[in-house]
Amino acid sequence: MNGDDSQPTRWLNEREREIWLALREFIWEFPAALDRQLQRDSEMSIVEYSVLAVLSECSGARKRAGDLASDLGWERSRLSHLVRRMESKGVVERMHSDIDGRGQDVVLTAAGWAAIRAAAPGHVTFVREAVFDALTPAEQDVLESALTRIRARIAEDGLWAGTAGPACPPVEPTPEDCGVEA
Amino acid sequence: MNGDDSQPTRWLNEREREIWLALREFIWEFPAALDRQLQRDSEMSIVEYSVLAVLSECSGARKRAGDLASDLGWERSRLSHLVRRMESKGVVERMHSDIDGRGQDVVLTAAGWAAIRAAAPGHVTFVREAVFDALTPAEQDVLESALTRIRARIAEDGLWAGTAGPACPPVEPTPEDCGVEA
DNA sequence: TTCCTTTAGTTGATGCGTCAATTACTCTGA
DNA sequence: TCAGAGTAATTGACGCATCAACTAAAGGAA
């Protein structure tokens, strides 16, 4: 796909332009809006939330740094920098792995648990009200299918990088599972 | 909307979680994919492209910095930093305004024209093939309507910042309009 | 064991966006 | 005509992401 000069460029028509502008605005503003909601209500960024969320879902609230990075679809170094900053805020800790001398585990602290438990309801409510309450189930299906097809097209071209993993847990964070007091 | 603790949080169910993960991945990866395509094929970023695109569509390929910033939905300072970098690459120039001593006009140079004319076909083709060729017209309508409603919901909450303007011209850049040779 | 390769994670340099402060100019009203 | 308020744009500091080294440990083969 693309890179073929033999055909004249098919420019967008008026209707397509409208749709494209809506899509374009959406992809720039929606992530920023997620960030603003969390910053406003919970004083954390969406990326910090993502880390806490993934940790809260794994047993012992503890995970190898590399696994965490690949769950999130991030580079190791991005996670490393972020974990350092989060450690200084006291929401996570680094502990060296029992099984691999090179490894570092990232662990949720009690403060981290408190932070994710406080932030999750507001975040999920925001997503539910902004997205799910705004769309019928049929529209939700079309949306998912459309986005998935767009993704597949771009992946064919080798331009879809990440499996920007789970994160933003739609399920309730349950410290009990991990032996940490709520 | 939001901020109401009186009702229990409505967590996402399995189906909603699936949809949310698809949407979430999409909003993080799609902008990055646009950037990669332009970087790969035209050695420019999507934000540089946006500036060139807006300029290419205005008469004289020249526009007040402030107007340009608001067209793009950006802060003035972001544009100022970017224009400085682009000026050093030779694709735009700054000239002080005739009508307002405080003002600066940003002007497309001949090299800037060449750059946008070379990049636009590939970019538009990428968008067409990734988005429009992947969706039926009915799906395109649902998509636009869904995104617009989500946007409206978030705007009610005061969390939708920008009118991330036009940019990424779906129409062919035409230097003739501006009295610059192709 | 010893050497070599691979892997885990960190670090520092760089680039970009945001925010607050600053400069320079315009506009308004006494 | 001049003081004060408002506006246009720039600048510098800071936070975060990316990339290219770099350190340290694991794994494999002779």
Side-chain angles (χ1 to χ4, degrees):
Chain A
M1 138 178 186
N2 211 15
D4 178 2
D5 283 339
S6 64
Q7 298 299 317
T9 300
R10 293 176 296 147
W11 304 98
L12 303 190
N13 62 35
E14 262 315 302
R15 175 64 185 142
E16 288 165 337
R17 182 187 173 101
E18 273 177 34
I19 295 168
W20 172 236
L21 294 184
L23 177 57
R24 191 165 192 286
E25 178 177 354
F26 183 83
I27 60 174
W28 293 115
E29 286 304 320
F30 189 73
L34 290 176
D35 207 63
R36 276 183 220 113
Q37 181 272 320
L38 279 165
Q39 209 81 56
R40 181 192 66 182
D41 299 337
S42 309
E43 290 166 328
M44 69 174 71
S45 69
I46 180 76
V47 291
E48 288 169 327
Y49 184 88
S50 301
V51 168
L52 298 181
V54 172
L55 284 177
S56 78
E57 286 178 347
C58 60
S59 92
R62 175 174 183 146
K63 194 160 209 168
R64 284 290 293 276
D67 296 344
L68 189 47
S70 77
D71 278 4
L72 291 161
W74 295 351
E75 304 206 354
R76 292 173 191 289
S77 85
R78 178 179 183 183
L79 183 72
S80 180
H81 285 301
L82 180 58
V83 165
R84 178 175 36 73
R85 295 187 298 261
M86 292 177 74
E87 201 171 18
S88 77
K89 296 181 185 174
V91 291
V92 297
E93 263 178 13
R94 268 183 289 204
M95 313 187 57
H96 51 269
S97 165
D98 313 321
I99 36 178
D100 188 331
R102 298 164 301 180
Q104 290 281 105
D105 286 358
V106 183
V107 193
L108 214 50
T109 63
W113 268 114
I116 183 71
R117 300 221 342 140
H123 179 63
V124 174
T125 299
F126 179 73
V127 169
R128 169 168 295 288
E129 295 183 350
V131 177
F132 294 100
D133 289 353
L135 307 178
T136 66
E139 287 173 324
Q140 293 171 25
D141 291 345
V142 172
L143 180 66
E144 189 205 19
S145 140
L147 299 185
T148 303
R149 252 173 297 139
I150 293 173
R151 176 208 154 121
R153 287 275 188 152
I154 295 177
E156 279 173 29
D157 219 357
L159 291 170
W160 196 275
T163 53
C168 291
V171 295
E172 187 171 9
T174 54
E176 298 78 9
D177 294 353
C178 305
V180 177
E181 71 287 1
Chain B
M1 138 177 186
N2 213 16
D4 178 5
D5 283 339
S6 65
Q7 298 300 316
T9 302
R10 294 176 296 146
W11 304 99
L12 303 189
N13 63 34
E14 262 314 303
R15 175 63 184 140
E16 288 165 338
R17 183 188 173 100
E18 273 177 35
I19 295 168
W20 172 238
L21 294 182
L23 176 57
R24 190 165 195 284
E25 178 176 354
F26 184 83
I27 61 174
W28 294 115
E29 286 304 319
F30 188 73
L34 290 176
D35 207 63
R36 275 182 220 112
Q37 181 273 318
L38 279 164
Q39 210 79 57
R40 182 191 64 183
D41 300 337
S42 309
E43 290 167 329
M44 70 174 71
S45 69
I46 181 75
V47 290
E48 290 170 327
Y49 183 88
S50 301
V51 168
L52 298 181
V54 172
L55 284 177
S56 78
E57 286 179 347
C58 58
S59 93
R62 173 173 185 149
K63 193 159 210 167
R64 283 289 294 275
D67 296 344
L68 189 48
S70 76
D71 279 4
L72 291 161
W74 294 351
E75 305 206 355
R76 291 173 192 289
S77 84
R78 178 177 183 183
L79 183 73
S80 179
H81 285 302
L82 180 59
V83 165
R84 178 175 34 75
R85 294 188 297 263
M86 292 176 74
E87 201 171 19
S88 77
K89 294 181 185 174
V91 291
V92 296
E93 261 178 13
R94 267 184 289 203
M95 311 187 58
H96 51 271
S97 165
D98 312 322
I99 36 178
D100 188 330
R102 299 164 298 182
Q104 290 281 105
D105 287 357
V106 183
V107 193
L108 214 50
T109 63
W113 267 114
I116 184 68
R117 302 225 337 143
H123 179 63
V124 173
T125 299
F126 179 72
V127 169
R128 169 168 295 287
E129 294 183 350
V131 177
F132 294 99
D133 289 354
L135 308 178
T136 66
E139 287 173 324
Q140 293 172 25
D141 291 345
V142 172
L143 180 67
E144 189 206 18
S145 139
L147 299 185
T148 303
R149 252 172 298 140
I150 294 173
R151 176 209 153 122
R153 288 274 188 154
I154 296 177
E156 279 173 29
D157 220 356
L159 291 169
W160 195 276
T163 53
C168 290
V171 294
E172 188 171 9
T174 53
E176 298 78 9
D177 293 352
C178 304
V180 178
E181 74 286 0

